Each structure stands twice: as C-alpha cells, then as structure tokens.
Amino acid sequence: MDLFYKVISFFVSPRCYDEYFLKFNFLDVDCFKSTLSKGLGFGIILGSILVKLPQILKIIKSKSGEGINLTRIASPTRRSRNHFIPVHHNSCETMSTAQLFNRIGQIGLGVALVGGVVNSALYNVDGGHRAVIFDRFSGVKKNVEGEGTHFFVPWVQRPIIFDVRSRPRNVPVITGSKDLQNVNITLRILFRPIPDQLPRIYTILGQDYDERVLPSITTEVLKAVVAQFDAGELITQRDLVSQRVSNDLTERAGQFGVILDDISITHLTFGKEFTQAVELKQVAQQDAEKARFLVEKAEQTKKATVISAEGDAQAAILLAKAFGDAGEGLVELRRIEAAEDIAYQLSRSRQVSYLPSGQNLLLNVPTPQN
C-alpha cells in the first residue's frame, strides 16, 4: 500500500489521492486538471525518451557509434531507412525490438500531443460565476456557460468569466435639499448582474460594468429624490426617502441588466452652517423653556402669597369675633402660656439665676481694680 501511494504521489497531490482513492470522487475539477497536467508532462518526457531508445539500443548492440547520421538525430521526425551504417550484422530479433520501441515512442508522443491540445481547450467556471465566449469570427456568443469544466477552441475562442454573486458598493453623494441645504449622503448597494444578460453587458459595458453604471445612476436618483424633501423631513421621514430611492434606483439599474438586492442609507449629514443653526435653535428653545418655567414659578409664588394673606385676614376676623364674644380672657390665657414657656426656657439655662421677689439676697459682685 505504501509503494502504491508513493507511485501515485508522482502524479496526484495528497488531496487528490484522498478524493480519488478514499472518497471515490473522480469528478473533482481541480484534481482532474492537476492530474492531467502532470500526466501530460510525464508523457512528453517518456515519449521523447522512447523516440531515441531504438537508436540507443542499436548503438549498444553494435558496440560502435560508427555510421550514426547526425541529421537524423537533429530531426527525429524525418524518416530515413539508412540513418545507421551498421558495422556488425544485426539479427531479425534485434530489428523487431527496435521497431517495437520506435512504435511505442511514436504512440507516446502522439498521446502527449493530444493531451496537450485537450488541456489547452479546457476552462473552468467556479461556483458563483458565469462565462461568456468571445469568438474571433462571430463575436460574443449569446449562450452563457454555467459552473463546471467546458471546452473551447483555442486561439479562436476566449472565455470571459463574470462573478454573479452579490457584491457591496458604497456611493457617496453631495446634493441639496428642498430648502437649499447641503446634504452629504452615502448609499450602500448590494448588486449582481443578471446572468442571461451577460453577453449584452459585456458587449455594451464590459467587465467593469459596475464602475460605469452604479456611480452615475446613484447620483442621479439621489439628487432627484432628496430635492423633494426639506432638511428636517430627511431626518423625520427617512424610511420614505429610502423607499423612494430604492424603487427608482432598482428601476434604473434594471435597464442595464443589474439586480440590486439591497439599498441602505448608511450616512446622512448636513452642511456646517445648517448644523450650527440647529444648535443655536436648540439653545434658544432651552432658554425659552427656562424663562417660561421662571414665569410659572413666580405666578405660583404670587398665588401662594395671596392665599396666605387671605388666610391671615380670615384668622384676624375670627379672633376679633371671638374677643367680642368672650372678652379679654383669651388674651390673658395666651399671656400666661407665653410666660410659662419663657420661664421654662430660662430655668434650663445655666447662666441665668432666678431671684424670687420679697426676699433680701446679698451678692458678692467683684469690682474691677484700677
């Protein structure tokens, strides 16, 4: 098994060995091309050796190089029966062996040449790609080749490969709004070509169709749509703006054979002057809100003062009425309560001494010395 692997490894890579002999997948395109290329290389080398092998055997057999035709060696395809002048007599068996090797060499060289031609007539279309054939005599063919390995006529035909998978592209545009404000907007597009229209795309636009089409139609559509909205509406009605851009841009791209899978507004800013004006407007609105709050606070304070004054006046009326009905007794009661409270506070103070009336007390008050 190891010997078999070593022999096969001269012709196939380890990955192709696994594909062929472990997974039994003989349809792998990359391995097929690699194996065919190596086989053709070994075939060409083997064919070149086999072509010279009969001459080498004759030289070895005759044990002499006398009579060798140098013209025959330089031109091995030229047929000549007398390219050797043998010195010794050769048997029929030797001639048959030489003819056999000569025939094998010719067959090997033919196989190598045929293999080289076949390999040069193959091309591969990878997944997510399509091919368009350009013919030197009839121009671009209408058929679109799918994924896999295909044949073409070398020199006469040439395959052009297109990527039909979705690809992203960012298109920045500077335009103006309805109120004449500068708007910087960036659009992100996922695009891919329509496979059936690839011959037309290649004939009219070329392989760089996205560079020729997308920037121009995106700028045109954005300027037309943004001009219908004010600067404020571009922010508050962004969904509506995006929908209109998507509808118009999809219709325009379809005219060139391009499908737009997704359209998104990723960046939207305004000019420096407009931004400063918006900031100043916000500051003014905040100042106005603050002033309104101060006015409302003053009105509430005024109402509280009026209500307090009305309460005091009502209390004075009630007190006057009570004095008229009950006399001065209530005033005396309040006076006694106040005196009681004052006496209680003084009694708790350490620096105040209470002197009862009607008693004689002697106090030793120090006099200051001169």
CSV table of all heavy atoms in Angstrom, one decimal, residues 314-354:
chain,number,residue,atom,x,y,z
A,314,GLN,N,-58.6,86.2,57.4
A,314,GLN,CA,-59.7,85.4,57.9
A,314,GLN,C,-59.5,85.0,59.3
A,314,GLN,O,-60.4,85.0,60.2
A,314,GLN,CB,-59.9,84.1,57.0
A,314,GLN,CG,-61.1,83.3,57.3
A,314,GLN,CD,-62.4,84.1,56.9
A,314,GLN,OE1,-62.4,84.9,56.0
A,314,GLN,NE2,-63.5,83.8,57.6
A,315,ALA,N,-58.2,84.7,59.7
A,315,ALA,CA,-57.9,84.4,61.1
A,315,ALA,C,-58.1,85.6,62.0
A,315,ALA,O,-58.6,85.5,63.1
A,315,ALA,CB,-56.5,83.9,61.2
A,316,ALA,N,-57.7,86.8,61.5
A,316,ALA,CA,-57.9,88.0,62.3
A,316,ALA,C,-59.4,88.3,62.5
A,316,ALA,O,-59.8,88.7,63.6
A,316,ALA,CB,-57.2,89.2,61.6
A,317,ILE,N,-60.2,88.1,61.5
A,317,ILE,CA,-61.6,88.3,61.7
A,317,ILE,C,-62.2,87.4,62.7
A,317,ILE,O,-63.0,87.7,63.6
A,317,ILE,CB,-62.3,88.1,60.3
A,317,ILE,CG1,-61.9,89.2,59.3
A,317,ILE,CG2,-63.8,88.1,60.5
A,317,ILE,CD1,-62.4,89.1,57.9
A,318,LEU,N,-61.8,86.1,62.6
A,318,LEU,CA,-62.3,85.1,63.6
A,318,LEU,C,-61.9,85.5,65.0
A,318,LEU,O,-62.6,85.3,66.0
A,318,LEU,CB,-61.8,83.7,63.2
A,318,LEU,CG,-62.4,83.2,61.9
A,318,LEU,CD1,-61.7,81.8,61.6
A,318,LEU,CD2,-63.9,83.0,62.0
A,319,LEU,N,-60.6,86.0,65.2
A,319,LEU,CA,-60.1,86.4,66.5
A,319,LEU,C,-60.9,87.6,67.1
A,319,LEU,O,-61.2,87.6,68.2
A,319,LEU,CB,-58.6,86.7,66.5
A,319,LEU,CG,-57.7,85.5,66.3
A,319,LEU,CD1,-56.2,86.0,66.1
A,319,LEU,CD2,-57.7,84.6,67.5
A,320,ALA,N,-61.1,88.5,66.2
A,320,ALA,CA,-61.9,89.7,66.7
A,320,ALA,C,-63.3,89.3,67.1
A,320,ALA,O,-63.8,89.8,68.1
A,320,ALA,CB,-61.9,90.7,65.5
A,321,LYS,N,-63.8,88.4,66.3
A,321,LYS,CA,-65.2,88.0,66.7
A,321,LYS,C,-65.2,87.2,68.0
A,321,LYS,O,-66.1,87.4,68.9
A,321,LYS,CB,-65.7,87.1,65.6
A,321,LYS,CG,-67.2,86.6,65.8
A,321,LYS,CD,-67.7,85.8,64.7
A,321,LYS,CE,-69.1,85.3,64.9
A,321,LYS,NZ,-69.6,84.5,63.8
A,322,ALA,N,-64.1,86.4,68.2
A,322,ALA,CA,-64.0,85.7,69.5
A,322,ALA,C,-63.8,86.6,70.7
A,322,ALA,O,-64.4,86.4,71.8
A,322,ALA,CB,-62.9,84.7,69.4
A,323,PHE,N,-63.0,87.7,70.5
A,323,PHE,CA,-62.8,88.6,71.5
A,323,PHE,C,-64.1,89.4,71.9
A,323,PHE,O,-64.3,89.7,73.0
A,323,PHE,CB,-61.7,89.7,71.1
A,323,PHE,CG,-60.3,89.1,71.1
A,323,PHE,CD1,-59.3,89.7,70.3
A,323,PHE,CD2,-60.0,87.9,71.8
A,323,PHE,CE1,-58.1,89.1,70.2
A,323,PHE,CE2,-58.7,87.4,71.7
A,323,PHE,CZ,-57.7,88.0,70.9
A,324,GLY,N,-64.8,89.7,70.9
A,324,GLY,CA,-66.1,90.4,71.2
A,324,GLY,C,-67.1,89.5,71.9
A,324,GLY,O,-67.9,90.0,72.7
A,325,ASP,N,-67.0,88.2,71.7
A,325,ASP,CA,-68.0,87.3,72.3
A,325,ASP,C,-67.5,86.9,73.7
A,325,ASP,O,-68.3,86.8,74.7
A,325,ASP,CB,-68.2,86.0,71.5
A,325,ASP,CG,-68.9,86.4,70.2
A,325,ASP,OD1,-69.5,87.4,70.1
A,325,ASP,OD2,-68.7,85.6,69.2
A,326,ALA,N,-66.2,86.6,73.9
A,326,ALA,CA,-65.7,86.1,75.2
A,326,ALA,C,-64.9,87.1,76.0
A,326,ALA,O,-64.5,86.8,77.1
A,326,ALA,CB,-64.8,84.9,74.9
A,327,GLY,N,-64.6,88.3,75.6
A,327,GLY,CA,-63.9,89.3,76.3
A,327,GLY,C,-62.4,89.1,76.2
A,327,GLY,O,-61.9,88.4,75.3
A,328,GLU,N,-61.6,89.6,77.3
A,328,GLU,CA,-60.2,89.5,77.2
A,328,GLU,C,-59.6,88.3,77.9
A,328,GLU,O,-58.4,88.1,78.1
A,328,GLU,CB,-59.6,90.7,78.0
A,328,GLU,CG,-60.0,92.1,77.4
A,328,GLU,CD,-59.4,92.3,76.0
A,328,GLU,OE1,-58.3,91.7,75.8
A,328,GLU,OE2,-59.9,93.0,75.2
A,329,GLY,N,-60.5,87.3,78.2
A,329,GLY,CA,-60.0,86.1,78.9
A,329,GLY,C,-59.0,85.3,78.0
A,329,GLY,O,-58.1,84.7,78.5
A,330,LEU,N,-59.3,85.3,76.7
A,330,LEU,CA,-58.5,84.5,75.8
A,330,LEU,C,-57.1,85.1,75.7
A,330,LEU,O,-56.1,84.4,75.7
A,330,LEU,CB,-59.1,84.5,74.4
A,330,LEU,CG,-58.4,83.7,73.3
A,330,LEU,CD1,-58.2,82.2,73.7
A,330,LEU,CD2,-59.1,83.8,72.0
A,331,VAL,N,-57.0,86.5,75.8
A,331,VAL,CA,-55.7,87.2,75.7
A,331,VAL,C,-54.9,86.9,77.0
A,331,VAL,O,-53.7,86.6,76.9
A,331,VAL,CB,-55.9,88.7,75.5
A,331,VAL,CG1,-54.5,89.4,75.6
A,331,VAL,CG2,-56.6,89.0,74.3
A,332,GLU,N,-55.6,86.9,78.1
A,332,GLU,CA,-54.9,86.6,79.4
A,332,GLU,C,-54.3,85.1,79.3
A,332,GLU,O,-53.2,84.8,79.8
A,332,GLU,CB,-55.8,86.8,80.6
A,332,GLU,CG,-56.1,88.3,80.8
A,332,GLU,CD,-54.9,89.1,81.2
A,332,GLU,OE1,-53.9,88.5,81.8
A,332,GLU,OE2,-54.9,90.3,80.9
A,333,LEU,N,-55.2,84.2,78.8
A,333,LEU,CA,-54.7,82.8,78.7
A,333,LEU,C,-53.5,82.7,77.9
A,333,LEU,O,-52.5,82.0,78.2
A,333,LEU,CB,-55.9,82.0,78.2
A,333,LEU,CG,-55.6,80.5,78.0
A,333,LEU,CD1,-55.2,79.9,79.3
A,333,LEU,CD2,-56.8,79.8,77.4
A,334,ARG,N,-53.5,83.4,76.7
A,334,ARG,CA,-52.3,83.3,75.9
A,334,ARG,C,-51.1,83.9,76.5
A,334,ARG,O,-50.0,83.5,76.3
A,334,ARG,CB,-52.6,84.0,74.5
A,334,ARG,CG,-53.7,83.3,73.7
A,334,ARG,CD,-53.1,82.1,73.1
A,334,ARG,NE,-54.1,81.5,72.2
A,334,ARG,CZ,-55.0,80.5,72.6
A,334,ARG,NH1,-55.0,80.1,73.8
A,334,ARG,NH2,-55.8,80.1,71.7
A,335,ARG,N,-51.3,85.0,77.3
A,335,ARG,CA,-50.2,85.7,78.0
A,335,ARG,C,-49.6,84.7,79.1
A,335,ARG,O,-48.3,84.6,79.2
A,335,ARG,CB,-50.7,87.0,78.7
A,335,ARG,CG,-49.6,87.8,79.3
A,335,ARG,CD,-50.2,89.1,79.9
A,335,ARG,NE,-50.8,89.9,78.9
A,335,ARG,CZ,-51.6,90.9,79.2
A,335,ARG,NH1,-51.9,91.2,80.4
A,335,ARG,NH2,-52.2,91.6,78.2
A,336,ILE,N,-50.4,84.0,79.8
A,336,ILE,CA,-49.9,83.1,80.8
A,336,ILE,C,-49.2,82.0,80.2
A,336,ILE,O,-48.1,81.5,80.7
A,336,ILE,CB,-51.1,82.6,81.7
A,336,ILE,CG1,-51.8,83.7,82.5
A,336,ILE,CG2,-50.7,81.4,82.6
A,336,ILE,CD1,-53.0,83.3,83.2
A,337,GLU,N,-49.7,81.5,79.1
A,337,GLU,CA,-49.0,80.4,78.4
A,337,GLU,C,-47.6,80.9,77.9
A,337,GLU,O,-46.6,80.1,77.9
A,337,GLU,CB,-49.8,79.9,77.2
A,337,GLU,CG,-51.1,79.2,77.6
A,337,GLU,CD,-52.0,78.8,76.4
A,337,GLU,OE1,-51.6,79.2,75.3
A,337,GLU,OE2,-52.9,78.0,76.6
A,338,ALA,N,-47.5,82.1,77.4
A,338,ALA,CA,-46.3,82.6,76.9
A,338,ALA,C,-45.3,82.8,78.1
A,338,ALA,O,-44.1,82.5,78.0
A,338,ALA,CB,-46.5,84.0,76.2
A,339,ALA,N,-45.8,83.3,79.2
A,339,ALA,CA,-44.9,83.5,80.4
A,339,ALA,C,-44.4,82.2,80.9
A,339,ALA,O,-43.2,82.0,81.3
A,339,ALA,CB,-45.6,84.3,81.5
A,340,GLU,N,-45.3,81.2,80.9
A,340,GLU,CA,-44.9,79.8,81.3
A,340,GLU,C,-43.8,79.3,80.4
A,340,GLU,O,-42.8,78.7,80.9
A,340,GLU,CB,-46.1,78.9,81.3
A,340,GLU,CG,-45.7,77.5,81.8
A,340,GLU,CD,-47.0,76.6,81.8
A,340,GLU,OE1,-48.1,77.1,81.3
A,340,GLU,OE2,-46.8,75.4,82.2
A,341,ASP,N,-43.9,79.5,79.2
A,341,ASP,CA,-42.9,79.0,78.2
A,341,ASP,C,-41.6,79.7,78.4
A,341,ASP,O,-40.5,79.1,78.4
A,341,ASP,CB,-43.4,79.1,76.8
A,341,ASP,CG,-42.5,78.5,75.8
A,341,ASP,OD1,-42.3,77.3,75.8
A,341,ASP,OD2,-41.9,79.3,75.0
A,342,ILE,N,-41.6,81.0,78.6
A,342,ILE,CA,-40.4,81.8,78.8
A,342,ILE,C,-39.7,81.3,80.1
A,342,ILE,O,-38.5,81.1,80.2
A,342,ILE,CB,-40.7,83.3,78.9
A,342,ILE,CG1,-41.1,83.8,77.5
A,342,ILE,CG2,-39.5,84.1,79.3
A,342,ILE,CD1,-41.7,85.2,77.5
A,343,ALA,N,-40.5,81.1,81.2
A,343,ALA,CA,-39.9,80.7,82.4
A,343,ALA,C,-39.2,79.3,82.3
A,343,ALA,O,-38.1,79.0,82.8
A,343,ALA,CB,-40.9,80.7,83.5
A,344,TYR,N,-39.8,78.4,81.5
A,344,TYR,CA,-39.3,77.1,81.3
A,344,TYR,C,-38.0,77.2,80.6
A,344,TYR,O,-37.0,76.5,81.0
A,344,TYR,CB,-40.3,76.2,80.6
A,344,TYR,CG,-39.8,74.9,80.2
A,344,TYR,CD1,-39.7,73.9,81.2
A,344,TYR,CD2,-39.4,74.6,78.9
A,344,TYR,CE1,-39.2,72.6,80.9
A,344,TYR,CE2,-38.9,73.3,78.6
A,344,TYR,CZ,-38.8,72.3,79.6
A,344,TYR,OH,-38.3,71.1,79.3
A,345,GLN,N,-37.9,78.0,79.6
A,345,GLN,CA,-36.6,78.1,78.8
A,345,GLN,C,-35.5,78.8,79.7
A,345,GLN,O,-34.4,78.3,79.6
A,345,GLN,CB,-36.9,79.0,77.6
A,345,GLN,CG,-37.8,78.4,76.6
A,345,GLN,CD,-37.3,77.1,76.0
A,345,GLN,OE1,-36.1,76.9,75.9
A,345,GLN,NE2,-38.2,76.2,75.6
A,346,LEU,N,-35.8,79.7,80.5
A,346,LEU,CA,-34.8,80.4,81.4
A,346,LEU,C,-34.3,79.4,82.5
A,346,LEU,O,-33.2,79.5,82.8
A,346,LEU,CB,-35.4,81.7,82.0
A,346,LEU,CG,-35.6,82.8,81.0
A,346,LEU,CD1,-36.3,84.0,81.8
A,346,LEU,CD2,-34.3,83.3,80.3
A,347,SER,N,-35.2,78.6,82.9
A,347,SER,CA,-34.8,77.7,84.0
A,347,SER,C,-33.8,76.6,83.5
A,347,SER,O,-33.0,76.1,84.3
A,347,SER,CB,-36.0,77.0,84.6
A,347,SER,OG,-36.6,76.2,83.6
A,348,ARG,N,-33.8,76.4,82.3
A,348,ARG,CA,-32.9,75.4,81.8
A,348,ARG,C,-31.5,76.0,81.4
A,348,ARG,O,-30.6,75.2,81.0
A,348,ARG,CB,-33.5,74.7,80.5
A,348,ARG,CG,-34.8,73.9,80.9
A,348,ARG,CD,-35.3,73.2,79.7
A,348,ARG,NE,-34.3,72.2,79.2
A,348,ARG,CZ,-34.4,71.5,78.2
A,348,ARG,NH1,-35.5,71.6,77.4
A,348,ARG,NH2,-33.4,70.6,77.8
A,349,SER,N,-31.4,77.3,81.5
A,349,SER,CA,-30.1,77.9,81.1
A,349,SER,C,-29.2,78.0,82.4
A,349,SER,O,-29.7,78.4,83.4
A,349,SER,CB,-30.4,79.3,80.6
A,349,SER,OG,-29.2,80.0,80.3
A,350,ARG,N,-27.9,77.7,82.3
A,350,ARG,CA,-27.0,77.7,83.4
A,350,ARG,C,-26.6,79.1,83.7
A,350,ARG,O,-26.1,79.4,84.8
A,350,ARG,CB,-25.8,76.9,83.1
A,350,ARG,CG,-26.1,75.4,82.9
A,350,ARG,CD,-24.8,74.6,82.6
A,350,ARG,NE,-25.1,73.2,82.4
A,350,ARG,CZ,-24.2,72.3,82.2
A,350,ARG,NH1,-22.9,72.7,82.0
A,350,ARG,NH2,-24.5,71.0,82.0
A,351,GLN,N,-26.6,80.0,82.9
A,351,GLN,CA,-26.1,81.4,83.1
A,351,GLN,C,-27.2,82.3,83.7
A,351,GLN,O,-27.0,83.5,83.8
A,351,GLN,CB,-25.5,82.0,81.8
A,351,GLN,CG,-24.4,81.2,81.3
A,351,GLN,CD,-23.9,81.8,80.0
A,351,GLN,OE1,-24.4,82.7,79.5
A,351,GLN,NE2,-22.8,81.2,79.5
A,352,VAL,N,-28.4,81.8,83.9
A,352,VAL,CA,-29.5,82.7,84.4
A,352,VAL,C,-29.9,82.1,85.8
A,352,VAL,O,-30.1,80.9,86.0
A,352,VAL,CB,-30.7,82.6,83.5
A,352,VAL,CG1,-31.8,83.4,84.1
A,352,VAL,CG2,-30.3,83.1,82.1
A,353,SER,N,-29.9,83.1,86.8
A,353,SER,CA,-30.3,82.7,88.2
A,353,SER,C,-31.7,83.4,88.4
A,353,SER,O,-31.9,84.5,88.1
A,353,SER,CB,-29.3,83.2,89.2
A,353,SER,OG,-28.0,82.6,89.0
A,354,TYR,N,-32.5,82.6,89.0
A,354,TYR,CA,-33.9,83.1,89.3
A,354,TYR,C,-33.9,83.7,90.7
A,354,TYR,O,-33.5,83.0,91.7
A,354,TYR,CB,-34.9,81.9,89.2
A,354,TYR,CG,-36.3,82.3,89.5
A,354,TYR,CD1,-37.0,83.1,88.6
A,354,TYR,CD2,-36.9,81.9,90.7
A,354,TYR,CE1,-38.3,83.5,88.9
A,354,TYR,CE2,-38.2,82.3,91.0
A,354,TYR,CZ,-38.9,83.1,90.1
A,354,TYR,OH,-40.2,83.4,90.4
